[in-house]
Amino acid sequence: MILGVGADLAAVGRIERALENPRFLERVYTPGERERLEGLCPERRAERAAGLFAAKEAVAKALGTGFRGFRFADVEILPDAAGRPAVFLRGGAKALAGEGARLHVSISHDGKMALAFAVMEI
């Protein structure tokens, strides 16, 4: 059963500028996400970071709260064994989702924009 759906759109240029601030990186991205971003060329890094940002926003919307009761870094998006984005919740985000909830995300980017959708099911 679907419990929530979220979508978000992020401007790659806006995220690219934000990445210049180390505090933004630490506040929004988990150590695992930052590690995956580090090895990319600047253009790919901005696209990937914008996609992750949009996915985190979409997950917050699927949870039905926005970012109330948890932080950006409580939502981690990492590839699974097949390369698909997998959602890992921690802290307040995990508490809001509850036991048995599963989240699915899809991320896309094209030049100047990144788009993500999230579906929460039980």
Side-chain angles (χ1 to χ4, degrees):
M1 175 168 62
I2 293 176
L3 300 175
V5 176
D8 195 68
L9 192 62
V12 173
R14 186 177 128 236
I15 299 300
E16 184 174 31
R17 289 186 298 279
L19 289 172
E20 295 171 5
N21 181 349
R23 290 183 60 200
F24 174 79
L25 271 167
E26 291 174 12
R27 184 176 61 85
V28 174
Y29 303 99
T30 67
E33 292 166 335
R34 291 193 306 265
E35 182 180 321
R36 293 189 54 77
L37 291 171
E38 284 175 7
L40 300 172
C41 70
E43 180 179 303
R44 299 285 296 160
R45 183 176 190 231
E47 288 175 344
R48 179 82 48 88
L52 291 174
F53 186 90
K56 290 169 181 261
E57 288 275 2
V59 166
K61 292 172 183 175
L63 289 170
T65 61
F67 281 97
R68 281 188 227 146
F70 65 98
R71 305 171 303 124
F72 270 93
D74 286 345
V75 178
E76 184 173 44
I77 314 289
L78 294 172
D80 68 9
R84 295 177 303 215
V87 180
F88 300 93
L89 300 178
R90 293 174 178 75
K94 186 173 183 175
L96 279 170
E99 287 298 318
R102 292 179 300 193
L103 280 139
H104 309 278
V105 295
S106 180
I107 304 169
S108 185
H109 47 77
D110 183 18
K112 297 180 181 186
M113 300 303 291
L115 171 71
F117 290 95
V119 175
M120 183 170 69
E121 68 170 339
I122 190 166

